[in-house]
Amino acid sequence: MSQQTQQLGELSFENTEIAFRGKSNGDLNKAYWLFKILSSNFLTRVGRPITDFAFNVGLPIKGLIRATIFNHFCGGETIKGCFPAIERLADQRVGTILDYSVEGEDTEEAFDGTCNEILRTVAYAKTNPNISFSVFKPTGLGRFDLFEKINANVPLSTNEKLEYGRVRQRFERICQACHDSGVKVLIDAEHSWIQDVIDDLTREMMQQFNREAPIVYNTYQLYRHDKLASLKADFYLAETDGFFLGAKLVRGAYMELERERAQEKGYPSPIQPNKEATDRDYDLAIRFCLDHIDRIGLMAGTHNEANSKMLADEMNDRQLPHDHPHIHFAQLLGMSDNLSFNLAAAGYQVAKYMPYGPVKAVMPYLFRRAQENTSVAGQTGRELSLIAKEKKRRKTTR
């Protein structure tokens, strides 16, 4: 039987024909050399200052960036510019999470602009069934330093109280629009020293908007040793108070920074002691959500093959339908296509995070993702090996 005609329900993350059938030979070659470049820690460390310098002095590098790293990891510069990429994913039964990925802005005008752009993604998602979720990063709606001050229980000035009120209004506007449109929204996690205030805000939004269904999803970073307990505590509150819990489970994105800051400030690191502990808590969190899946919306945001296979197997063992409305898998655009497209081919609900925004404005996001990618042991090598395997398969089947 051809790999491409595998039966619905079968699942193999080694099936490169399905993983890359949306890519031409030229696309594969570009992806191979891009991941080769990303495998260099030196380039991911110095790439941002070099690129910033080139933009600042007016060097014509925008076209080169758009044709390489931007085209691979981003959908476009605008929502409309993402349309072709959204359709390509939909052709393989994969949904889209439109992710406005402009970072580093810290003015009230910029925060309002980001809020309005996210509301535009919600409005578009209402009209397009291929958009699975909306998403936002809390520091896109308010100052990092303000979150940090509240998190540390430092008294706010009158102006800061008003400022935080505007942050809360932005959260509420987005969550209200999602509730009214029937569009689910993911609220991204941030650094541990601002996460408590974000958790509190997100919990408020869930209490308000998750009464009939899981609409608002908080993000639990399981590389933190306290987040399995947080997940359980939030569920028991939801159960007691009568709302649905929305839970996006991830490993985490700030490990090196978290450890460095803990050491510098002299407090215990919030990060798990080792990878095995993270793996254990991630699996326990998955099983906990499945145990209560009638009251929890679960998003497994992971590039880990073992976790993805475990969730798929657990669903089968529990006789849960592959398209259960409360269970989704998600990966980043341009990464782990062997997971996304093989899961979708087997009937599971899958979505890709699709970053978008002006090329120059999304560069901080792209470099942050590149650094995270190189910090995950074996991730880039795995991408390269799968691309090489598919290139070889295509040569032998000509």
Side-chain angles (χ1 to χ4, degrees), residues 46-264:
V46 304
R48 181 170 180 179
I50 290 174
T51 304
D52 287 346
F53 172 78
F55 273 119
N56 290 336
V57 301
L59 294 178
I61 64 166
K62 184 177 177 180
L64 175 63
I65 291 170
R66 182 189 282 115
T68 54
I69 187 171
F70 184 88
N71 276 357
H72 188 85
F73 292 111
C74 298
E77 295 196 65
T78 63
I79 294 173
K80 185 175 181 180
C82 292
F83 288 0
I86 293 168
E87 291 304 311
R88 285 194 295 271
L89 292 180
D91 286 344
Q92 296 183 70
R93 296 172 42 94
V94 172
T96 291
I97 303 167
L98 278 174
D99 184 6
Y100 183 58
S101 297
V102 174
E103 296 185 359
E105 306 287 347
D106 63 355
T107 66
E108 290 294 294
E109 183 181 12
F111 296 142
D112 284 338
T114 296
C115 180
N116 290 332
E117 183 65 23
I118 294 162
L119 289 170
R120 283 189 280 273
T121 70
V122 176
Y124 178 59
K126 184 179 179 181
T127 69
N128 188 336
N130 297 321
I131 309 298
S132 303
F133 289 80
S134 286
V135 63
F136 67 87
K137 188 175 174 66
T139 49
L141 302 181
R143 281 192 306 117
F144 189 102
D145 290 349
L146 180 66
F147 285 120
E148 185 175 13
K149 196 169 183 179
I150 298 168
N151 210 88
N153 295 314
V154 176
L156 301 183
S157 68
T158 300
N159 284 340
E160 286 170 335
K161 289 176 182 177
L162 293 171
E163 182 184 359
Y164 184 61
R166 291 191 293 272
V167 174
R168 195 187 183 286
Q169 287 172 359
R170 294 178 191 116
F171 268 68
E172 192 167 20
R173 284 182 67 200
I174 293 167
C175 294
Q176 181 76 62
C178 287
H179 174 269
D180 294 347
S181 302
V183 175
K184 296 178 287 291
V185 59
L186 305 164
I187 299 179
D188 281 346
E190 302 261 12
H191 301 85
S192 64
W193 59 97
I194 66 168
Q195 188 60 47
D196 287 349
V197 64
I198 292 166
D199 287 344
D200 290 345
L201 256 179
T202 304
R203 208 177 291 113
E204 285 183 43
M205 296 300 113
M206 287 194 285
Q207 287 177 293
Q208 188 171 350
F209 298 111
N210 284 13
R211 292 291 171 178
E212 299 89 21
I215 294 292
V216 180
Y217 284 61
N218 199 11
T219 300
Y220 299 85
Q221 300 189 100
L222 276 306
Y223 74 168
R224 282 183 54 175
H225 55 68
D226 58 342
K227 278 299 156 183
L228 178 60
S230 294
L231 172 72
K232 292 180 178 181
D234 286 350
F235 172 71
Y236 294 129
L237 173 64
E239 189 175 45
T240 302
D241 198 34
F243 65 91
F244 288 82
L245 179 68
K248 184 180 81 164
L249 305 183
V250 302
R251 275 176 155 66
Y254 310 105
M255 185 167 64
E256 288 83 1
L257 281 172
E258 292 282 358
R259 285 178 172 157
E260 287 170 10
R261 187 178 191 271
Q263 186 173 15
E264 178 188 327

Side-chain angles (χ1 to χ4, degrees), residues 231-303:
L231 172 72
K232 292 180 178 181
D234 286 350
F235 172 71
Y236 294 129
L237 173 64
E239 189 175 45
T240 302
D241 198 34
F243 65 91
F244 288 82
L245 179 68
K248 184 180 81 164
L249 305 183
V250 302
R251 275 176 155 66
Y254 310 105
M255 185 167 64
E256 288 83 1
L257 281 172
E258 292 282 358
R259 285 178 172 157
E260 287 170 10
R261 187 178 191 271
Q263 186 173 15
E264 178 188 327
K265 302 278 187 181
Y267 62 83
S269 171
I271 303 301
Q272 299 272 18
N274 50 48
K275 181 179 180 297
E276 289 72 26
T278 301
D279 291 342
R280 178 200 66 220
D281 276 13
Y282 197 96
D283 287 351
L284 288 171
I286 289 285
R287 292 190 172 97
F288 180 82
C289 289
L290 292 179
D291 288 343
H292 305 283
I293 201 61
D294 58 324
R295 300 296 301 176
I296 295 179
L298 168 62
M299 160 69 80
T302 180
H303 291 244

